[in-house]
Amino acid sequence: MTGAQPAIRLTGLTKSFGSINAVDGVDLDIVEGEFFSMLGPSGSGKTTVLRLIAGFEQPTSGSIALRGQDVTDRAPFDRDVNTVFQDYALFPHMSVLDNVAYGLRVRGVAKRARHEQARAALDTVRLGGFADRKPSQLSGGQRQRVALARATVVQPKVLLLDEPLGALDLKLREQMQVELKELQRSLGITFIFVTHDQQEALTLSDRIAVFNEGRIEQLGTPAEIYERPASPFVAAFVGTSNIFDDNISQALLGRSGTNSVRPEKISIITENLPLVADRAATGVLAEVIYVGSSTQLIVDLDAGTRVVVLEQNDAHRVTTNGRGARVTVGWNDSDIVALTAPALTSRP
């Protein structure tokens, strides 16, 4: 990917609403053909960046380039991008086929040609048999796929997705995550996906930008973001993490600064199954929470802090004690992550 012209390049991008900087100096390259997610809580700036790329907002300063061409001042219809929204915005009075073909109709494509292309797009999302239905006759997941077909039939260079799975229930959401990734791979289009759901971002993305207060806090692959968070914010927001301040770090970890250890990296040590660990600490089991495939153990350590331990519910699970039991927990030095953000580069 190094040296290739990016699909999207953001340079010094800012957007202010009065005294509030919703986007604060973002520099970012998004590579051609990648599934890129912008992840962050409400108000972090991720949706504003998406709207700036789409042309729905104008930046206060900075520039937006699409395949090397500056599109900062272009209208939304004059950018080779398309957007899928959370509410899908389908026309209720039109058939599914006409909804998908609408963008081609606006571009002046003849009726027969646009219907052929629309049917092919519906086949891509496995809705070929639903062309004559109205949106009200479809399930939420089917409407979402129609919206995807409508957005991709015009063959945009970049597809922007603004939390498109947010209205779906958990089971359908997980199913659509798989289908969305398969669709992106088959089309080869650059997808830019906005979400506040960290599990969704980890599942779908080639790379993730974690936003906080209008800036990119960390940029990397899902594994990099999860395994090596660059700051306390990323460690806390992406998954669950045990974060230790300087005093606790020196007492428990033998190092200074702010550090973290993921719950699944901490083990319960018992007499029957002693585990090899670089470090150990004792405490009281404060809570046991069954969450299906795993159990969360909350331990109040004698050192004066609380940690979360995650045990898989399999044949190797060792904890049978209940609340109030004395336990020993252990972890390896290699699983300790220093939460000092390095100098960030957003150019691949």
Side-chain angles (χ1 to χ4, degrees):
M1 295 189 298
T2 302
Q5 181 173 269
I8 292 285
R9 169 163 284 182
L10 310 180
T11 304
L13 197 65
T14 66
K15 178 62 179 180
S16 300
F17 296 97
S19 61
I20 298 173
N21 288 332
V23 179
D24 191 8
V26 169
D27 293 304
L28 177 64
D29 280 2
I30 298 173
V31 177
E32 189 80 37
E34 78 173 326
F35 199 122
F36 188 92
S37 288
M38 296 191 289
L39 172 67
S42 297
S44 62
K46 61 188 188 300
T47 299
T48 304
V49 170
L50 191 84
R51 291 179 62 81
L52 289 167
I53 295 172
F56 301 142
E57 301 280 356
Q58 284 296 304
T60 304
S61 63
S63 64
I64 303 164
L66 173 62
R67 284 187 160 184
Q69 294 197 2
D70 191 326
V71 298
T72 309
D73 298 323
R74 292 187 186 179
F77 59 80
D78 199 23
R79 305 183 185 201
D80 203 356
V81 302
N82 217 335
T83 307
V84 177
F85 299 99
Q86 182 174 337
D87 62 3
Y88 314 140
L90 300 178
F91 298 113
H93 63 286
M94 289 186 181
S95 68
V96 165
L97 183 66
D98 286 335
N99 262 283
V100 174
Y102 182 77
L104 297 171
R105 176 183 170 186
V106 170
R107 286 163 173 77
V109 178
K111 184 175 181 179
R112 176 175 292 182
R114 69 174 181 258
H115 279 183
E116 287 177 357
Q117 293 177 52
R119 290 184 189 280
L122 284 170
D123 288 339
T124 301
V125 296
R126 299 198 296 278
L127 286 177
F130 294 77
D132 295 329
R133 296 194 186 185
K134 295 291 178 63
S136 61
Q137 298 174 298
L138 304 179
S139 68
Q142 289 168 339
R143 288 196 296 273
Q144 200 254 13
R145 281 186 274 169
V146 172
L148 285 169
R150 184 179 63 180
T152 57
V153 73
V154 295
Q155 299 182 337
K157 297 297 185 295
V158 177
L159 185 64
L160 309 175
L161 301 109
D162 186 10
E163 305 207 40
L165 308 183
L168 304 179
D169 61 55
L170 179 60
K171 191 73 175 177
L172 185 55
R173 193 171 191 166
E174 291 173 345
Q175 176 188 333
M176 288 306 305
Q177 287 173 10
V178 175
E179 294 188 4
L180 195 59
K181 185 62 178 176
E182 289 177 347
L183 178 64
Q184 189 266 338
R185 284 176 176 161
S186 67
L187 295 173
I189 295 174
T190 305
F191 276 28
I192 303 177
F193 187 87
V194 163
T195 182
H196 63 272
D197 187 321
Q198 49 91 13
Q199 193 63 45
E200 196 165 80
L202 293 172
T203 300
L204 288 169
S205 311
D206 296 315
R207 287 191 305 150
I208 301 170
V210 183
F211 278 76
N212 182 29
E213 297 183 345
R215 296 173 178 263
I216 296 177
E217 190 94 358
Q218 186 173 359
L219 176 71
T221 66
E224 289 167 348
I225 295 291
Y226 185 83
E227 297 290 347
R228 295 290 161 186
S231 69
F233 172 81
V234 177
F237 185 75
V238 182
T240 301
S241 197
N242 298 294
I243 300 176
F244 307 109
D245 64 19
D246 182 67
N247 290 333
I248 296 297
S249 289
Q250 292 189 52
L252 284 180
L253 310 179
R255 59 180 69 184
S256 60
T258 303
N259 297 272
S260 74
V261 182
R262 292 289 187 186
E264 66 272 16
K265 307 294 187 182
I266 303 178
S267 303
I268 300 293
I269 300 174
T270 68
E271 293 181 359
N272 295 331
L273 187 61
L275 297 173
V276 177
D278 295 327
R279 300 186 182 275
T282 57
V284 176
L285 190 56
E287 193 61 77
V288 179
I289 304 171
Y290 179 80
V291 289
S293 61
S294 60
T295 296
Q296 274 191 354
L297 309 168
I298 299 175
V299 181
D300 288 328
L301 297 181
D302 298 336
T305 192
R306 170 173 282 190
V307 296
V308 178
V309 181
L310 191 67
E311 281 194 333
Q312 293 300 309
N313 290 330
D314 55 24
H316 302 292
R317 186 177 175 224
V318 300
T319 305
T320 57
N321 294 328
R323 288 183 298 168
R326 295 285 301 174
V327 295
T328 300
V329 298
W331 60 89
N332 292 316
D333 287 339
S334 60
D335 294 321
I336 302 170
V337 179
L339 299 179
T340 302
L344 175 67
T345 174
S346 55
R347 309 297 189 202

